[in-house]
Amino acid sequence: MSSTWLTKAVLQFERVLWLVSIGMLFVLGYFWGVLEFGMSHPVSLMTSLEALSGFEFSGRSVHQLPGGIWAHISEGEVGYIFTRTELLFISIVTFFCQIALAIIMVLSLIALRDKSYRLYAGVALYASGLLMVSPLYSLYESGVLPWWELVRVAGALLCVRWAAKSLPVPQTHSQALIVYASQTGSAKYLAQRLHDTAHALMDIACVSTLTEQTLKRYQRVFFVVSTYGQGEAPDSARRFVNTLQGANSAASQTQFSVLALGDRTYQTFCAFGHYLSELLEQKGYQRAIPTTEIDRMDPQGVAHWWQQVGELLGIHTAPELFEYDDYTVMANECLNPEQTHRLAHRVTLFCANARYEAGDLLAVQPEQKDEHERLYSIASYQDNTIELLVRQHIRADGTIGLASGMLSQLTPGDRVLASVREHTTFHPKANVPWIMIGAGTGLAPFISFLKKRQAEQDSAPCWLFFGEQYVEHDAYFAKDLTAFQDQGILTRLDRAWSRSDGVYVPDLLQQSHKAIRQWVAEQGAHVYVCGSREGFGESVLATLQDILPEPQWQSQLHTDLY
Ligand SMILES: Cc1cc2nc3c(=O)[nH]c(=O)nc-3n(C[C@H](O)[C@H](O)[C@H](O)COP(=O)(O)O)c2cc1C
């Protein structure tokens, strides 16, 4: 179709016809007496109908009764009765519906000239004609059955729906699309970096907005996806995967490739990336480049895949994938110096560009450039300044972990390369109670959550469960937590000291199961769990599964387990 305004208008026909039908059925409902809105109109007995002013409407006499009431009176029987306001409202709805139908009819007539829009425009013309005459017909003709009108309107709309499938899919300018499916932000970050280097040639989208139609619109689609849980899809990809599973298999021109992000320490390494790749192939899409596995954001693996993408697109730019900002160390305090191992450090960093939300992560680049970055939960809530709770990681052979070793030995004035990673599924929901469950360094995001509550003066209750080994050594952020309690921000604090008291977080959850259930089911509390996956995460989730009702388990539980 030559003119774009007409194309845009035609694509809106179906939506408008639905709105008009709703308007028309509303008006008809009024006339049929289905919709009454509990109005009663007391009418005093009249001596003579002729004395009342009235007019003829489709062969019936309509009279104005005292009190601004309009009634249709036929052979001595009173028909529909409306107040003046109701009559005005009905007239306005009818007027706009009829105007919209008239516009669709005119545009359909113009669109009929174009072959690819002919079927759709023809059906839309028929449907709008039917919708235009149908209510009038049922008013003028007595004895028209309401259900028959409903059948006709529904039939017309179904025909339009069916004909919409014949519409050509609008062409986009870009031939390629990069799609990300991310849980903690790495896949999104990476997709954005890659897109930056080729933005003129490709579009970018989150998998949550992706439909099969969009997929088919592009010549090439590149997926950057992570794997979660036990080899599962990130939350944002679930809807798209369900749609794709239910779709028919049909040969498609669209080529694809999957960059599968994962972590080799999981048995289900990159499982979702592989699953998506096979599913796409099953449904008829063409695999252009083999699925590429990336272990903990290995930059060389990503660069290799991107080079192959570049060859397909005819570009030769080597992207600077990981752009880190320079962070300056402001403070570094050991929180449990009496401990002989498992030292925990509160590290404060400054960067003028740092912007983040409570729940976000900081990716830190170890000193050795070719090493993978490490992710840490942010414990602060003020832009520019980032606080981390870092546990010095001791490997099985007794050596200290690269990133945690580097961070814990920093002194004020030192520099680190780091960059914020958005963690949208762990952003806390405002104005609802929170139950925060953390262990060890998993306390960090909850300090940020509580600071957010403080800054926003949000008075919804907060409950924190925290687990560590020794009450005398490991009560991190104790002063901050006491201050939050004194200010009424932290409503309940339950701590489990496994080595001091032999109590674990799941024991505390079990003891308070009634209150937790009540907070979640009745007060709408959201539950956030952060800490190590093995041991803590698994046991907490198993306990919560017994406590939380099924619907809330899906919608009100958020995890950040590492
Ligand atoms: C709770 C959790 C579960 C994970 N499960 C897997 C897994 O089963 N297989 C895998 O290869 N990687 C797994 N990973 C690693 C992530 O896929 C990897 O860190 C990825 O880079 C994260 O990308 P994202 O930030 O875009 O979500 C898991 C990570 C977390 C935190």
Side-chain angles (χ1 to χ4, degrees):
M1 189 172 290
S2 48
S3 86
T4 44
W5 68 265
L6 191 56
T7 312
K8 280 185 189 156
V10 167
L11 292 174
Q12 296 307 320
F13 278 4
E14 195 184 345
R15 193 168 296 166
V16 177
L17 286 172
W18 271 100
L19 285 175
V20 166
S21 331
I22 292 167
M24 290 297 204
L25 287 175
F26 178 78
V27 171
L28 285 174
Y30 240 105
F31 278 94
W32 293 329
V34 182
L35 302 173
E36 284 178 12
F37 298 112
M39 292 203 179
S40 68
H41 307 298
V43 181
S44 54
L45 282 176
M46 294 291 115
T47 44
S48 155
L49 274 177
E50 287 70 38
L52 300 164
S53 61
F55 58 85
E56 287 291 308
F57 178 71
S58 79
R60 303 168 193 191
S61 57
V62 178
H63 296 267
Q64 187 182 12
L65 306 182
I69 291 168
W70 293 89
H72 139 229
I73 296 165
S74 167
E75 293 170 11
E77 266 187 44
V78 181
Y80 41 79
I81 299 180
F82 302 124
T83 62
R84 197 196 307 265
T85 325
E86 283 174 299
L87 194 65
L88 182 69
F89 183 62
I90 290 169
S91 313
I92 292 174
V93 174
T94 312
F95 175 75
F96 279 109
C97 287
Q98 300 284 330
I99 292 287
L101 290 172
I103 294 175
I104 292 188
M105 288 171 87
V106 172
L107 292 178
S108 298
L109 283 171
I110 301 174
L112 274 176
R113 287 179 308 167
D114 190 302
K115 211 169 116 210
S116 47
Y117 287 79
R118 196 159 290 157
L119 174 66
Y120 183 70
V123 174
L125 188 64
Y126 159 74
S128 39
L130 190 68
L131 283 174
M132 192 176 250
V133 297
S134 178
L136 295 177
Y137 169 71
S138 69
L139 289 183
Y140 279 77
E141 258 329 292
S142 55
V144 172
L145 298 171
W147 65 264
W148 179 233
E149 285 315 300
L150 288 179
V151 169
R152 278 149 55 100
V153 169
L157 290 172
L158 285 177
C159 288
V160 175
R161 181 86 285 267
W162 165 77
K165 298 209 170 93
S166 72
L167 285 174
V169 179
Q171 288 301 312
T172 54
H173 296 299
S174 306
Q175 294 182 333
L177 174 70
I178 188 158
V179 177
Y180 55 85
S182 191
Q183 187 82 14
T184 50
S186 304
K188 179 177 177 186
Y189 174 83
L190 197 57
Q192 281 170 339
R193 289 268 77 76
L194 297 172
H195 178 246
D196 286 347
T197 65
H199 63 269
L201 294 171
M202 58 166 62
D203 296 331
I204 183 164
C206 172
V207 68
S208 61
T209 64
L210 195 63
T211 61
E212 257 227 294
Q213 259 210 334
T214 320
L215 209 59
K216 294 209 160 96
R217 203 182 294 168
Y218 289 91
Q219 261 181 29
R220 296 189 180 102
V221 181
F222 303 104
F223 288 88
V224 181
V225 305
S226 63
T227 293
Y228 264 81
Q230 312 275 335
E232 288 149 31
D235 294 337
S236 55
R238 297 228 179 101
R239 192 194 53 81
F240 173 69
V241 170
N242 287 343
T243 319
L244 199 60
Q245 283 166 340
N248 295 329
S249 304
S252 162
Q253 298 302 314
T254 306
Q255 295 182 326
F256 74 93
S257 178
V258 176
L259 184 70
L261 307 190
D263 182 332
R264 215 174 268 286
T265 60
Y266 289 87
Q267 277 186 348
T268 44
F269 179 50
C270 295
F272 174 62
H274 287 294
Y275 174 74
L276 177 67
S277 184
E278 276 155 32
L279 185 62
L280 285 163
E281 204 165 44
Q282 247 178 43
K283 298 295 172 184
Y285 297 95
Q286 317 293 318
R287 198 193 307 246
I289 303 169
T291 303
T292 304
E293 294 173 343
I294 301 295
D295 182 21
R296 281 169 293 158
M297 296 287 272
D298 164 31
Q300 283 160 4
V302 177
H304 179 65
W305 180 74
W306 190 244
Q307 191 192 341
Q308 291 171 283
V309 170
E311 280 164 18
L312 270 183
L313 297 175
I315 52 168
H316 298 282
T317 50
E320 192 52 59
L321 283 180
F322 301 99
E323 281 173 14
Y324 295 103
D325 291 312
D326 228 348
Y327 282 71
T328 308
V329 179
M330 292 167 74
N332 182 0
E333 180 195 356
C334 180
L335 301 179
N336 52 356
E338 312 84 7
Q339 279 270 43
T340 48
H341 65 299
R342 308 177 77 254
L343 295 177
H345 283 251
R346 180 175 182 163
V347 180
T348 313
L349 304 168
F350 174 84
C351 172
N353 304 330
R355 301 278 174 275
Y356 59 93
E357 274 282 320
D360 283 346
L361 305 158
L362 188 73
V364 176
Q365 170 68 48
E367 271 161 337
Q368 272 132 302
K369 271 271 180 209
D370 47 354
E371 260 298 321
H372 310 312
E373 61 182 33
R374 306 285 194 279
L375 293 175
Y376 293 91
S377 297
I378 298 176
S380 45
Y381 183 63
Q382 198 189 358
D383 283 343
N384 300 343
T385 308
I386 286 193
E387 274 195 342
L388 304 178
L389 179 56
V390 180
R391 153 92 34 82
Q392 210 179 61
H393 176 64
I394 314 270
R395 299 197 191 102
D397 63 2
T399 56
I400 297 177
L402 267 184
S404 65
M406 174 196 80
L407 283 169
S408 57
Q409 283 159 21
L410 292 170
T411 53
D414 285 349
R415 301 278 177 93
V416 211
L417 289 176
S419 113
V420 170
R421 296 280 191 277
E422 225 185 325
H423 190 183
T424 42
T425 53
F426 212 67
H427 286 171
K429 190 171 164 60
N431 301 316
V432 297
W434 298 334
I435 298 179
M436 302 168 284
I437 306 169
T441 51
L443 176 64
F446 302 134
I447 300 296
S448 175
F449 280 32
L450 292 165
K451 286 183 177 163
K452 179 181 165 80
R453 276 264 143 107
Q454 187 180 39
E456 293 178 354
Q457 299 184 335
D458 184 339
S459 60
C462 295
W463 187 351
L464 174 65
F465 289 91
F466 175 60
E468 248 296 355
Q469 290 188 346
Y470 295 101
V471 61
E472 61 273 31
H473 302 309
D474 303 325
Y476 318 136
F477 289 87
K479 272 194 205 145
D480 303 63
L481 292 176
T482 310
F484 288 133
Q485 279 182 301
D486 293 346
Q487 292 163 28
I489 295 166
L490 182 57
T491 334
R492 272 185 82 165
L493 172 61
D494 287 337
R495 283 183 274 202
W497 306 108
S498 59
R499 300 279 165 97
S500 301
D501 305 332
V503 180
Y504 290 84
V505 171
D507 303 329
L508 297 180
L509 298 175
Q510 208 47 272
Q511 280 163 22
S512 297
H513 71 274
K514 278 200 188 123
I516 296 176
R517 205 180 159 84
Q518 195 258 339
W519 272 51
V520 172
E522 289 167 33
Q523 298 184 38
H526 277 236
V527 181
Y528 300 87
V529 187
C530 184
S532 76
R533 184 173 44 97
E534 273 174 40
F536 168 77
E538 283 158 3
S539 60
V540 163
L541 291 182
T543 313
L544 286 177
Q545 196 141 32
D546 293 335
I547 298 178
L548 299 186
E550 184 54 35
Q552 279 88 5
W553 173 263
Q554 294 289 337
S555 57
Q556 286 166 231
L557 175 65
H558 315 268
T559 56
D560 179 2
L561 301 172
Y562 37 85

